Amino acid sequence: MAFNNDRSHMHSCCGCPDMPREGKAGPSQEFHSSPKQRHSDSGWTETNDWWQKAGTDAPAGAKWGESALKREPECHMELDRLCADSNHTVLIDTRAFSNGKIVPCKGQPIWDSNHVKLPQHYPINSRESRWAATERALQTLMHRGASARDVETAIKIYNQAHSKDWHFDGLRIFAEPIPLLRQHCSHAITMSQVQISCLLANAFFCTFPHRNATHPGSEYGNFPTINFSRLFSERSPRTFQKLRALFHYFDTVTEEATKPTGLVTFERICLPQNQWPDWNKRMEQLTNLEVYGNGFIEREGKGMLQVDFAASMVGGGVLGRGLVQEEIRFMQCPELIVSRLFTEKLADNECLRITGVQTYSNTRGYSDTFAWESPHKDNTQRDEWKRIYCQIVAIDATNFQDPRQQYTERSIQRELLKAYVGFRGDPNIPSAYTAAIATGNWGCGAFKGDPMLKALIQMMAASVAQRDLAYFTFNNMKQAEELKRMFMILKSQKITVGKLYNLLQDYCDYSSRHHHHHQQRVKNVFEFISEKIGVCPSHL
């Protein structure tokens, strides 16, 4: 399966039909809609109707009326007919799709450095092809009662080079019967949910060739891992809970009654330098901000552009020990994992936007307290391309080993650019038809980001992108109140993005002068800006 400068093709996966379609990567170009096609202006209202429709109460901190944030499908613009072009690879037959059917495209396999190498196209260099050996090994698992040891034995048959150094202790702790299942270039791939399940089945059974070596300089050293071998090796409660979520996903997609029936689009967006904002000259005032002291991006932010606090290798440690915001979302929506198959490490001017993934599981906790809780029945509506109204954008924050490094103009420019690339909408769609952004303390955990600074950066990026912002502080009520006060100060003084950028530059100068004086308390960025513009925060 594939995307590159030429043609891309995809064939069968773990017993599935052929699945290819071509597309040529080109310059950044949005493809979703046409401004002349839109739903009626009466199709949505800025009231609390959305929460009533969703069957849930408005979260604490939500405001209604004129400042209510827009969500899909209420603000959705009608899409053009689904078709492949030089910027968009479509892996299903679009003619059949226009007649209400989802069937894979047929095409010729390509085995080169620009395409995903599929296991069944491995070059034959022995009496038996590698795919024939793979099929024979996996067929032994189709009888009832196949054990975790049987899975390990089968995987090692066609991965003999790793038979001694791959261990499966983590898989053995979940020994129930198991069901069977490239940078600087903008391009999108749309595929069916069934095709995704086939690819993930191959990932589970570690069939993807040339994807096991991850050292620098290796063929796929700049890509995330996709085969599940590392997950199987982790003997920990985290692995057990991840496998519960994954097995529930596979159970769901292999049952005829619950098999998913839609499409998902994965779009890598690379913003050329001539489109980067000149931050100190931006005259936009801040767009609306709603602060939620509690609630979740994926739940209360439903219908918004939801931010994945990503690693530059999308998915982060999802197939290892990682269990923070990104990995948890990938466990709730395992279709996200397939992005690791074809998404090279993100550069500073790039993001990955995923549209249409389904939520399969409810989870609770974080890190060592994470647990699979229950199945999730996702009844979210679908758009004209049969994609669930769920759009996620993966943007990776800088990992500041020394937190003081973030208070430099260079660091702030990098984070502003990354956020803007992620938040920027399709230029063909008016802002009135662009959903708000649901985000939070992006890069503020292990990456040591300053939540106050990160909030201001995201507010600025959202304002230039002409989108409103919903900010979740994840039960940190003190932060929520401070952020609300800071926003009120900035709005009351009509502070533009350019002015705020210059204030942040001043704060960087202040911070660098004072961080050596350990006896002297350094003001935080909110205090500094408030005093600089002559407003005392406590007066609001």
Side-chain angles (χ1 to χ4, degrees):
M1 171 172 115
F3 66 111
N4 93 323
N5 307 355
D6 198 48
R7 293 178 61 84
S8 61
H9 301 280
M10 172 175 268
H11 269 206
S12 60
C13 286
C14 269
C16 271
D18 290 351
M19 44 195 288
R21 180 61 194 181
E22 41 124 6
K24 188 170 70 175
S28 176
Q29 179 178 324
E30 312 292 344
F31 56 88
H32 295 300
S33 337
S34 161
K36 65 180 182 290
Q37 294 183 302
R38 65 182 70 172
H39 291 309
S40 165
D41 287 339
S42 62
W44 65 287
T45 55
E46 292 180 320
T47 68
N48 61 355
D49 289 352
W50 184 90
W51 294 102
Q52 295 167 356
K53 291 176 188 173
T56 183
D57 294 328
K63 301 190 191 81
W64 307 111
E66 292 182 357
S67 67
L69 306 184
K70 296 189 290 294
R71 304 169 186 266
E72 289 191 317
E74 289 79 8
C75 71
H76 176 68
M77 178 179 287
E78 186 178 337
L79 298 172
D80 288 336
R81 178 180 172 273
L82 176 62
C83 61
D85 61 31
S86 61
N87 298 293
H88 188 187
T89 297
V90 181
L91 300 179
I92 63 161
D93 187 320
T94 54
R95 291 185 179 180
F97 181 73
S98 64
N99 292 321
K101 297 178 181 179
I102 297 179
V103 296
C105 285
K106 298 187 183 297
Q108 296 302 312
I110 294 179
W111 183 279
D112 63 18
S113 61
N114 294 314
H115 298 82
V116 173
K117 293 176 177 173
L118 292 171
Q120 66 272 35
H121 303 140
Y122 207 103
I124 298 175
N125 54 11
S126 63
R127 276 188 301 178
E128 182 182 40
S129 73
R130 180 187 173 99
W131 182 242
T134 301
E135 284 188 307
R136 181 164 46 78
L138 295 181
Q139 282 169 356
T140 66
L141 303 176
M142 295 183 69
H143 62 273
R144 288 190 174 274
S147 67
R149 181 79 66 180
D150 295 330
V151 175
E152 176 181 352
T153 300
I155 291 173
K156 287 183 176 180
I157 286 173
Y158 48 89
N159 287 289
Q160 293 184 9
H162 298 274
S163 61
K164 290 185 170 60
D165 56 305
W166 280 8
H167 305 284
F168 289 74
D169 294 346
L171 180 62
R172 293 192 192 113
I173 65 172
F174 203 118
E176 293 189 24
I178 300 172
L180 289 170
L181 302 81
R182 162 177 272 244
Q183 208 172 28
H184 309 305
C185 184
S186 294
H187 197 72
I189 305 171
T190 296
M191 66 183 83
S192 72
Q193 291 178 277
V194 170
Q195 289 172 318
I196 292 172
S197 70
C198 298
L199 293 170
L200 290 180
N202 277 271
F204 182 93
F205 289 110
C206 307
T207 70
F208 286 110
H210 297 195
R211 297 304 292 264
N212 302 318
T214 59
H215 60 273
S218 61
E219 184 177 358
Y220 288 96
N222 212 31
F223 285 77
T225 56
I226 183 64
N227 290 327
F228 282 25
S229 52
R230 184 182 167 202
L231 179 61
F232 296 154
S233 71
E234 294 284 351
R235 185 180 179 90
S236 75
R238 294 186 182 198
T239 301
F240 183 85
Q241 297 301 329
K242 286 184 177 184
L243 288 172
R244 290 185 73 185
L246 290 167
F247 288 147
H248 169 65
Y249 164 75
F250 286 130
D251 274 337
T252 304
V253 300
T254 53
E255 287 288 337
E256 199 60 39
T258 55
K259 184 168 67 173
T261 59
L263 306 184
V264 181
T265 298
F266 301 84
E267 183 182 8
R268 186 190 192 106
I269 299 170
C270 177
L271 191 68
Q273 190 166 358
N274 61 5
Q275 295 181 33
W276 297 4
D278 190 348
W279 296 100
N280 64 353
K281 296 179 181 177
R282 302 303 303 200
M283 299 303 294
E284 294 90 351
Q285 300 232 340
L286 297 178
T287 50
N288 293 319
L289 172 73
E290 302 288 356
V291 182
Y292 300 86
N294 49 35
F296 298 92
I297 289 173
E298 65 270 20
R299 191 176 67 198
E300 282 76 14
K302 189 171 184 178
M304 300 182 187
L305 176 64
Q306 301 174 354
V307 177
D308 164 19
F309 303 167
S312 56
M313 300 279 204
V314 291
V318 65
L319 298 182
R321 290 183 52 83
L323 262 174
V324 289
Q325 193 253 18
E326 179 173 41
E327 292 89 352
I328 291 172
R329 190 65 189 272
F330 275 53
M331 285 294 109
Q332 295 168 344
C333 310
E335 290 161 342
L336 292 167
I337 297 173
V338 80
S339 64
R340 295 170 63 84
L341 178 63
F342 45 76
T343 307
E344 191 176 8
K345 182 178 182 180
L346 296 175
D348 289 348
N349 61 330
E350 296 179 321
C351 70
L352 179 69
R353 188 163 61 197
I354 306 105
T355 306
V357 292
Q358 183 169 329
T359 301
Y360 291 85
S361 290
N362 299 312
T363 67
R364 66 176 186 272
Y366 191 83
S367 194
D368 284 337
T369 65
F370 171 84
W372 183 86
E373 194 163 53
S374 61
H376 180 90
K377 187 171 179 57
D378 195 336
N379 295 316
T380 310
Q381 296 178 46
R382 295 178 183 265
D383 66 16
E384 296 86 351
W385 294 2
K386 296 200 70 176
R387 302 177 304 183
I388 284 173
Y389 281 109
C390 175
Q391 190 165 84
I392 298 168
V393 62
I395 52 173
D396 52 301
T398 303
N399 188 346
F400 294 107
Q401 300 297 332
D402 179 352
R404 294 173 298 185
Q405 294 171 340
Q406 65 192 297
Y407 306 115
T408 66
E409 185 175 11
R410 181 176 180 178
S411 293
I412 288 172
Q413 284 182 341
R414 190 273 177 195
E415 303 297 82
L416 279 167
L417 176 60
K418 176 64 71 167
Y420 176 68
V421 172
F423 296 173
R424 180 176 172 268
D426 184 336
N428 294 316
I429 297 179
S431 59
Y433 292 85
T434 304
I437 299 154
T439 189
N441 294 333
W442 168 55
C444 295
F447 284 10
K448 301 180 181 178
D450 176 347
M452 296 180 180
L453 179 58
K454 274 290 168 39
L456 293 173
I457 286 171
Q458 293 184 86
M459 287 160 57
M460 293 163 69
S463 299
V464 175
Q466 299 184 324
R467 300 179 87 145
D468 295 337
L469 206 60
Y471 198 101
F472 295 84
T473 64
F474 307 108
N475 298 316
N476 187 331
M477 298 304 178
K478 182 175 183 290
Q479 182 197 0
E481 291 305 316
E482 290 174 343
L483 181 52
K484 288 177 187 176
R485 282 198 298 268
M486 186 75 255
F487 177 71
M488 291 168 64
I489 290 171
L490 295 170
K491 288 293 281 185
S492 69
Q493 300 299 305
K494 295 181 168 52
I495 302 297
T496 64
V497 170
K499 175 64 174 176
L500 184 51
Y501 179 78
N502 291 324
L503 288 166
L504 291 181
Q505 284 183 294
D506 292 344
Y507 183 74
C508 291
D509 294 340
Y510 162 82
S511 179
S512 65
R513 291 197 309 270
H514 287 75
H515 76 263
H516 295 299
H517 304 287
H518 298 295
Q519 293 81 11
Q520 183 176 352
R521 178 182 173 273
V522 180
K523 300 168 188 169
N524 66 49
V525 66
F526 284 4
E527 294 171 328
F528 178 88
I529 289 175
S530 299
E531 292 182 15
K532 195 79 171 175
I533 61 179
V535 179
C536 179
S538 61
H539 291 168
L540 289 174

